[in-house]
Amino acid sequence: DQQVKQNSPSLSVQEGRISILNCDYTNSMFDYFLWYKKYPAEGPTFLISISSIKDKNEDGRFTVFLNKSAKHLSLHIVPSQPGDSAVYFCAASSYASGGSYIPTFGRGTSLIVHP
Amino acid sequence: DAGVIQSPRHEVTEMGQEVTLRCKPISGHNSLFWYRQTMMRGLELLIYFNNNVPIDDSGMPEDRFSAKMPNASFSTLKIQPSEPRDSAVYFCASSPASYNEQFFGPGTRLTVL
C-alpha cells in the first residue's frame, strides 16, 4: 500500500502560469517532506523541503505548502518556465533508529511547461 | 565535488547472468542508499548503509540481491542470477549523517533479456 501518493501522473502548463503539484500521505509519523526534480537520464535532485512544524516554505519561484490535518502537501511553481519540465517526486521521511532519515517516495508527476 | 558516481551507466545482460552495479558516494557522506525505479513501483529503497554498515535491507526483493560496502568510498549491488523482471534503473544516493536531503547518482539502466 502506497504511503505517499501523487495522483496526477502528468501536468501540462503554459509558460508564465502557476504549476501546482500535489502529494498525499497516510503515515502520521512522517515529520519531514521533500520535493525532488528529475530530468531524463539523470538522478533526482533535491528541490525544496518542509518540516512538519511549518506550513509553508518558499525558495524563489518554488513554494511548498503542508496541511498536516489533511496529510497533504503541494508544490507551487510561479512563474513556470520551460526548463521546469521534469518529473517531480514527493518524498516523506521519518528518523530511523539507525541514524538516518529514510524517505518514502511517490511515483512522480511529469510536468510539461509549454512555451 | 564530482557528486555520486555510478557505473556502468547502462548494462544489458542475459537472464541467469551475474550483474554488479557500482557506486562511489560523495566524500564525507556517512549514509549510502540503493534505490530501484520501475514504472510499476516507482522509486523503492532497497538497502541503506550508515558508516559502511548495512542498517536495513528489508527492501531487497529476493536473496538474488546482495549489497556490500567494503569502505567509505565504494559500494556494490549484485544480482545473481539476474531475471528479466530485474530490468529497471538503479540509483545510488548518499547523504551526511542525520541529513534529510539525499544526493543521487545518475543511475544504472539495467536490461535483462
Side-chain angles (χ1 to χ4, degrees), chain A residues 85-102:
Chain A
S85 298
V87 176
Y88 290 78
F89 289 98
C90 170
S93 71
S94 55
Y95 191 77
S97 58
S100 296
Y101 284 95
I102 305 304

Side-chain angles (χ1 to χ4, degrees), chain A residues 2-59:
Chain A
Q2 281 186 276
Q3 295 190 65
V4 178
K5 295 181 181 180
Q6 294 178 254
N7 291 320
S8 297
S10 63
L11 176 67
S12 182
V13 172
Q14 201 70 29
E15 181 180 6
R17 307 294 285 267
I18 184 172
S19 295
I20 300 176
L21 294 90
N22 293 304
C23 178
D24 297 294
Y25 62 96
T26 58
N27 190 342
S28 58
M29 297 300 291
F30 290 137
D31 54 11
Y32 204 82
F33 304 89
L34 310 94
W35 286 93
Y36 286 81
K37 179 178 179 179
K38 184 184 180 305
Y39 291 118
E42 295 183 10
T45 56
F46 168 74
L47 183 60
I48 192 170
S49 63
I50 187 167
S51 164
S52 60
I53 62 173
K54 296 185 176 181
D55 56 18
K56 177 183 175 181
N57 186 29
E58 191 172 351
D59 184 2

